[in-house]
């Protein structure tokens, strides 16, 4: 089955673009988290809003799969494609599968996740994505004033973990200086059994004069078993010389920050 690699933000970019054109749908929250054991069901509420000022929207709910690649981009696929999919565990009420919202109208949907009594794998965490898709394209205009047909799809990432999934652990595998790219190259793995997200901060110290330079903070998201490769750009105009770089991965556990150091020459 064909898989599509896109940034998940694209789904939400559609919303913001069409909001300016008075046509759009908002689905919140953007992520829903479940924690339940084998054979148990639990529900979370999501809110769908028609932000259009003039158009009624016919909307349909569907499910799909997603996972991260090594760059942190989202790989989207049909439901039940990936080994860690929980799409088959998710249901909504019959009347919520297809509905119409008038301009400005909101609707709450109960999303229920039922864990099987026996799992088909040994994973502690599973994921899916719930889509809300517009079924009646409407007339609109783009930023240049041209007439267009608008049809919108927005999505919510769904995360599930078993109660036993409590080990949150990241490990740095490599930190190097990419001279040709003008950045620090960082590779780290999620070696825990649950998702981990947070911020990566870095600081440079000029070993000759002691001058400190703080680099741009990077936000990241990972799932268990993920390998992440990313670049931390060095600032333009950085003084040539020898540096010590300190990189800290903060994923919400103050007692287990991941730290990497590197000595390099910037020429």
């Amino acid at each position: 089955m064909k898989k599509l690699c896109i940034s998940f933000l694209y789904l939400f970019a559609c919303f913001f673009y069409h909001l300016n054109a008075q046509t759009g749908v908002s689905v919140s929250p953007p992520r829903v988290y479940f924690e339940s054991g084998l054979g148990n069901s639990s529900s979370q509420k999501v809110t769908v809003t028609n932000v259009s000022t003039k158009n009624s929207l016919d909307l349909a709910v569907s499910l799909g799969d997603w996972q991260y690649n090594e760059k942190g981009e989202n790989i989207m696929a049909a439901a039940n494609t990936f080994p860690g999919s929980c799409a088959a565990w998710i249901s909504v009420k019959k009347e919520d599968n297809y509905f119409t919202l008038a301009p400005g109208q909101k609707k709450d949907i109960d999303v229920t996740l039922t864990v099987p009594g026996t799992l088909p794998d040994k994973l502690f965490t599973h994921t899916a994505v719930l889509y809300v898709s517009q079924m009646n394209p409407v007339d609109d205009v783009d930023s240049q004033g041209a007439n267009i047909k608008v049809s919108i799809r927005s999505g919510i990432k769904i995360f599930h973990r078993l109660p036993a999934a409590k080990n949150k652990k990241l490990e740095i595998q490599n930190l190097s200086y990419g001279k040709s790219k003008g950045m620090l190259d960082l590779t780290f793995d999620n070696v825990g059994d649950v998702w981990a997200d947070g911020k990566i901060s870095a600081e440079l110290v000029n070993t000759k004069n002691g001058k400190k330079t703080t680099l741009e903070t990077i936000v990241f998201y990972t799932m268990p078993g993920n390998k992440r490769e990313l670049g931390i750009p060095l600032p333009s105009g950085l003084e040539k010389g020898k540096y010590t770089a300190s990189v800290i991965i903060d994923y919400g556990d103050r007692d287990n920050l991941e730290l990497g150091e590197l000595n390099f020459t910037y020429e």
Side-chain angles (χ1 to χ4, degrees):
M1 187 171 294
K2 186 178 181 180
K3 303 169 187 176
L4 179 62
C5 176
I6 61 173
S7 169
F8 198 82
L9 293 177
Y10 174 77
L11 300 174
F12 301 99
C14 291
F15 160 59
F16 288 113
Y17 169 77
H18 294 301
L19 176 61
N20 294 329
Q22 289 80 49
T23 302
V25 59
S26 166
V27 184
S28 62
R31 295 178 178 85
V32 178
Y33 297 89
F34 291 88
E35 180 179 341
S36 52
L38 299 180
N40 292 327
S41 295
S42 57
S43 296
Q44 299 275 5
K45 193 179 299 295
V46 300
T47 301
V48 182
T49 304
N50 179 0
V51 302
S52 170
T53 59
K54 59 181 180 180
N55 297 308
S56 293
L57 300 180
D58 296 333
L59 301 169
V61 172
S62 61
L63 293 162
D65 279 359
W66 68 272
Q67 66 181 15
Y68 295 119
N69 66 11
E70 292 184 349
K71 300 298 182 182
E73 300 166 329
N74 293 276
I75 308 298
M76 317 304 292
N80 306 310
T81 297
F82 296 134
S85 174
C86 63
W89 308 353
I90 299 168
S91 62
V92 298
K93 296 177 182 178
K94 184 177 180 180
E95 60 267 28
D96 292 338
N97 280 311
Y98 187 89
F99 55 93
T100 299
L101 292 182
Q105 186 178 4
K106 296 182 179 181
K107 180 179 177 64
D108 290 333
I109 297 176
D110 289 324
V111 180
T112 300
L113 187 149
T114 302
V115 185
T118 302
L119 294 183
D121 53 52
K122 296 182 180 180
L123 301 176
F124 286 85
T125 60
H126 295 80
T127 60
V129 57
L130 183 143
Y131 292 114
V132 177
S133 303
Q134 180 186 346
M135 307 305 291
N136 61 326
V138 298
D139 295 322
D140 211 325
V141 293
D142 64 16
S143 59
Q144 304 301 317
N147 293 326
I148 58 174
K149 286 285 187 180
V150 175
S151 182
I152 298 168
R153 182 172 75 166
S154 189
I156 293 176
K157 282 184 173 180
I158 295 175
F159 299 75
H160 174 267
R161 73 175 181 179
L162 297 172
K166 298 183 181 299
N167 180 28
K168 187 183 293 187
K169 178 63 176 175
L170 302 180
E171 291 183 355
I172 293 177
Q173 301 300 327
N174 183 61
L175 178 61
S176 60
Y177 169 48
K179 182 177 180 180
S180 61
K181 298 177 291 185
M183 62 178 60
L184 302 178
D185 293 323
L186 174 67
T187 302
F188 63 95
D189 295 342
N190 183 334
V191 296
D193 56 22
V194 71
W195 51 82
D197 54 67
K199 297 180 179 180
I200 298 172
S201 58
E203 184 179 75
L204 305 179
V205 177
N206 187 311
T207 58
K208 182 178 180 179
N209 55 28
K211 182 180 178 180
K212 296 182 179 180
T213 302
T214 300
L215 304 186
E216 179 181 358
T217 298
I218 297 175
V219 176
F220 71 91
Y221 301 88
T222 65
M223 293 295 294
N226 280 179
K227 176 184 290 292
R228 186 56 39 82
E229 299 175 351
L230 57 85
I232 307 174
L234 300 180
S236 60
L238 182 66
E239 181 182 2
K240 294 181 179 180
K242 295 183 177 181
Y243 287 87
T244 297
S246 299
V247 175
I248 297 177
I249 303 180
D250 182 352
Y251 50 101
D253 187 343
R254 302 301 301 182
D255 296 326
N256 291 294
L257 297 174
E258 189 71 2
L259 173 65
E261 288 193 348
L262 171 70
N263 295 315
F264 70 99
T265 301
Y266 181 74
E267 299 177 334

